[in-house]
Coordinates of all heavy atoms in Angstrom, one line a residue:
Q28 N -38.8 52.3 206.9 CA -38.2 50.9 206.9 C -39.2 49.8 207.1 O -40.1 50.0 207.9 CB -37.1 50.9 207.9 CG -36.1 49.8 207.7 CD -34.8 49.9 208.5 OE1 -34.5 50.9 209.1 NE2 -34.0 48.8 208.5
L29 N -39.0 48.7 206.4 CA -40.0 47.6 206.5 C -39.7 46.9 207.8 O -38.6 46.7 208.3 CB -39.8 46.6 205.3 CG -40.1 47.2 203.9 CD1 -39.7 46.1 202.9 CD2 -41.5 47.6 203.8
L30 N -40.8 46.4 208.4 CA -40.8 45.5 209.6 C -41.4 44.2 209.2 O -42.6 44.2 208.8 CB -41.5 46.2 210.7 CG -41.7 45.4 212.0 CD1 -40.4 45.2 212.7 CD2 -42.7 46.1 212.9
A31 N -40.7 43.1 209.4 CA -41.3 41.8 209.1 C -41.4 41.1 210.5 O -42.3 41.3 211.2 CB -40.4 41.0 208.1
G32 N -40.4 40.2 210.8 CA -40.5 39.5 212.1 C -39.9 40.3 213.2 O -40.1 40.1 214.4
G33 N -39.2 41.4 212.9 CA -38.6 42.3 213.9 C -37.4 41.7 214.7 O -36.9 42.4 215.5
Q34 N -37.0 40.5 214.3 CA -35.9 39.9 215.2 C -34.5 40.5 214.9 O -33.6 40.3 215.8 CB -35.9 38.4 215.0 CG -37.2 37.7 215.4 CD -37.5 38.0 216.9 OE1 -36.8 37.6 217.7 NE2 -38.6 38.7 217.1
A35 N -34.3 41.1 213.8 CA -33.1 41.9 213.6 C -33.3 43.4 213.8 O -32.5 44.0 214.5 CB -32.6 41.6 212.2
L36 N -34.4 43.8 213.3 CA -34.7 45.3 213.3 C -34.9 45.8 214.7 O -34.4 46.9 215.1 CB -35.9 45.6 212.4 CG -36.2 47.1 212.2 CD1 -34.9 47.8 211.7 CD2 -37.3 47.2 211.1
I53 N -45.1 44.8 207.3 CA -45.6 44.0 206.2 C -46.2 42.7 206.6 O -46.6 41.8 205.8 CB -44.5 43.8 205.1 CG1 -43.3 43.2 205.7 CG2 -44.2 45.1 204.4 CD1 -42.2 42.8 204.7
A73 N -42.0 35.6 201.2 CA -41.0 36.3 202.0 C -41.3 36.3 203.5 O -40.4 36.4 204.3 CB -40.9 37.8 201.5
H77 N -38.9 30.7 209.9 CA -37.9 29.6 210.0 C -38.6 28.3 210.3 O -38.3 27.2 209.8 CB -36.8 29.9 211.0 CG -36.1 31.2 210.9 ND1 -36.2 31.9 209.7 CD2 -35.3 31.9 211.7 CE1 -35.4 33.0 209.8 NE2 -34.9 33.0 211.0
K99 N -30.3 25.1 211.9 CA -29.2 25.5 212.7 C -29.2 26.9 213.1 O -28.2 27.4 213.8 CB -27.9 25.2 211.9 CG -27.7 23.8 211.5 CD -27.3 23.0 212.8 CE -27.2 21.5 212.5 NZ -27.3 20.7 213.7
I100 N -30.2 27.7 212.8 CA -30.3 29.1 213.2 C -30.6 29.1 214.7 O -31.3 28.3 215.3 CB -31.4 29.8 212.5 CG1 -31.0 30.1 211.0 CG2 -31.8 31.1 213.2 CD1 -31.9 30.9 210.2
S101 N -29.8 30.0 215.4 CA -29.9 30.1 216.9 C -31.2 30.9 217.3 O -31.9 31.4 216.4 CB -28.7 30.8 217.4 OG -27.6 30.1 216.9
G102 N -31.3 31.1 218.6 CA -32.4 32.0 219.1 C -33.6 31.2 219.6 O -34.5 31.8 220.2
V106 N -37.5 32.8 218.2 CA -37.0 33.4 217.0 C -37.6 32.7 215.8 O -38.1 33.2 214.8 CB -35.5 33.4 216.9 CG1 -35.0 33.8 215.6 CG2 -35.0 34.4 218.0
V109 N -41.2 33.6 214.5 CA -41.5 34.9 213.9 C -40.6 35.4 212.9 O -41.0 36.2 212.0 CB -41.7 36.0 215.0 CG1 -43.0 35.7 215.8 CG2 -40.5 36.1 215.9
A110 N -39.3 35.0 213.0 CA -38.3 35.6 212.0 C -38.6 35.0 210.6 O -39.0 33.8 210.5 CB -36.9 35.2 212.5
T111 N -38.3 35.8 209.6 CA -38.7 35.4 208.2 C -37.5 35.3 207.3 O -36.5 35.9 207.5 CB -39.7 36.5 207.7 OG1 -38.9 37.7 207.5 CG2 -40.9 36.7 208.6
G113 N -37.5 36.5 204.3 CA -37.3 37.8 203.6 C -36.5 38.8 204.5 O -35.6 39.4 204.0
G114 N -36.8 38.8 205.8 CA -36.0 39.7 206.7 C -34.6 39.2 206.8 O -33.7 40.1 206.9
N115 N -34.4 37.9 206.8 CA -33.0 37.4 207.0 C -32.2 37.8 205.8 O -31.0 38.3 205.9 CB -33.1 35.9 207.1 CG -31.7 35.3 207.5 OD1 -30.8 35.2 206.7 ND2 -31.6 34.9 208.8
A117 N -32.8 40.1 203.5 CA -32.6 41.6 203.3 C -31.6 42.2 204.3 O -30.9 43.1 203.9 CB -34.0 42.3 203.5
R118 N -31.5 41.6 205.4 CA -30.5 42.0 206.4 C -29.1 41.6 205.9 O -28.1 42.3 206.1 CB -30.8 41.5 207.8 CG -29.7 41.6 208.8 CD -29.8 43.0 209.5 NE -28.8 43.1 210.5 CZ -27.8 44.0 210.6 NH1 -27.8 45.0 209.7 NH2 -26.9 44.1 211.6
A122 N -22.9 36.4 209.0 CA -23.0 35.3 209.9 C -24.4 34.6 209.8 O -24.6 33.6 210.5 CB -22.8 35.7 211.4
Y123 N -25.3 35.1 208.9 CA -26.6 34.4 208.8 C -26.5 33.2 208.0 O -25.5 33.0 207.2 CB -27.6 35.4 208.1 CG -28.2 36.4 209.1 CD1 -27.8 36.5 210.4 CD2 -29.2 37.3 208.6 CE1 -28.4 37.4 211.3 CE2 -29.8 38.2 209.5 CZ -29.4 38.3 210.8 OH -30.0 39.2 211.6
D124 N -27.5 32.3 208.1 CA -27.4 31.0 207.5 C -28.2 30.8 206.2 O -27.9 29.9 205.5 CB -28.0 30.0 208.6 CG -27.1 29.9 209.8 OD1 -25.9 29.5 209.7 OD2 -27.5 30.4 210.9
Y125 N -29.2 31.7 205.9 CA -29.9 31.5 204.6 C -29.0 31.8 203.4 O -29.1 31.0 202.4 CB -31.1 32.5 204.5 CG -32.3 32.1 205.2 CD1 -32.6 32.4 206.5 CD2 -33.3 31.3 204.5 CE1 -33.8 32.0 207.1 CE2 -34.4 30.9 205.1 CZ -34.7 31.3 206.4 OH -35.9 30.9 207.0
L161 N -31.0 45.3 196.7 CA -32.3 45.9 196.9 C -32.1 47.4 196.7 O -31.2 48.0 197.3 CB -32.9 45.6 198.3 CG -33.6 44.3 198.5 CD1 -33.9 44.1 199.9 CD2 -34.8 44.2 197.6
Q165 N -38.0 49.0 197.3 CA -38.2 47.7 196.8 C -38.3 46.7 198.0 O -37.7 47.0 199.1 CB -37.0 47.2 196.0 CG -36.9 47.8 194.6 CD -35.8 47.2 193.8 OE1 -34.8 46.8 194.3 NE2 -36.0 47.1 192.5
L166 N -39.1 45.7 197.8 CA -39.1 44.6 198.9 C -39.0 43.2 198.3 O -39.3 43.0 197.1 CB -40.4 44.7 199.7 CG -41.7 44.3 199.2 CD1 -42.6 43.9 200.3 CD2 -42.4 45.5 198.5
V167 N -38.5 42.3 199.1 CA -38.4 40.9 198.7 C -39.8 40.3 198.8 O -40.5 40.5 199.9 CB -37.4 40.1 199.6 CG1 -37.5 38.6 199.3 CG2 -36.0 40.7 199.5
K185 N -22.2 23.8 210.6 CA -22.0 25.2 211.1 C -21.2 25.2 212.3 O -21.4 24.5 213.3 CB -23.4 25.8 211.4 CG -23.4 27.1 212.2 CD -24.8 27.7 212.3 CE -24.9 28.9 213.1 NZ -26.2 29.5 213.2
S191 N -23.2 35.0 219.8 CA -24.3 35.4 219.0 C -25.1 34.2 218.5 O -26.2 34.3 218.1 CB -23.9 36.2 217.8 OG -23.1 35.4 217.0
G192 N -24.4 33.1 218.4 CA -25.0 31.9 217.7 C -25.0 31.9 216.2 O -25.4 31.0 215.5
G193 N -24.4 33.0 215.7 CA -24.2 33.1 214.2 C -23.1 32.2 213.7 O -22.4 31.5 214.5
Ligands
FAD1 C1 -31.4 35.7 219.4 C2 -31.3 35.6 217.9 C3 -30.4 34.7 217.3 C4 -30.3 34.7 215.9 N1 -29.5 33.7 215.3 C5 -29.4 33.6 214.0 C6 -28.6 32.6 213.4 O1 -27.9 31.8 214.0 N2 -28.6 32.6 212.0 C7 -29.3 33.4 211.2 O2 -29.3 33.3 210.0 N3 -30.1 34.4 211.8 C8 -30.2 34.5 213.1 N4 -30.9 35.5 213.7 C9 -31.7 36.4 212.8 C10 -33.1 35.9 212.5 O3 -33.0 34.6 212.1 C11 -33.9 36.7 211.4 O4 -33.6 36.2 210.2 C12 -33.6 38.1 211.3 O5 -34.0 38.6 212.6 C13 -34.4 38.8 210.2 O6 -35.7 38.4 210.0 P1 -37.0 39.2 210.5 O7 -38.2 38.6 209.8 O8 -37.0 39.2 212.0 O9 -36.7 40.6 209.9 P2 -36.8 42.1 210.5 O10 -36.0 42.2 211.7 O11 -38.2 42.5 210.6 O12 -36.1 42.9 209.3 C14 -34.7 42.8 209.1 C15 -34.3 43.8 208.0 O13 -34.9 43.3 206.7 C16 -35.8 44.3 206.2 N5 -36.9 43.5 205.6 C17 -37.7 42.7 206.3 N6 -38.5 42.0 205.4 C18 -38.2 42.5 204.2 C19 -38.7 42.2 202.9 N7 -39.6 41.3 202.6 N8 -38.1 42.9 201.8 C20 -37.1 43.8 202.0 N9 -36.7 44.1 203.3 C21 -37.2 43.5 204.3 C22 -36.2 45.2 207.3 O14 -36.5 46.5 206.9 C23 -34.9 45.2 208.1 O15 -33.9 46.1 207.6 C24 -31.1 35.6 215.1 C25 -31.9 36.5 215.7 C26 -32.0 36.5 217.1 C27 -33.0 37.6 217.7

Side-chain angles (χ1 to χ4, degrees):
Q28 197 165 349
L29 298 174
L30 173 70
Q34 297 302 295
L36 187 53
I53 56 171
H77 305 347
K99 296 292 177 199
I100 288 185
S101 307
V106 170
V109 288
T111 66
N115 190 288
R118 171 83 177 125
Y123 277 4
D124 296 294
Y125 276 94
L161 279 173
Q165 287 187 326
L166 73 154
V167 173
K185 170 174 175 175
S191 67

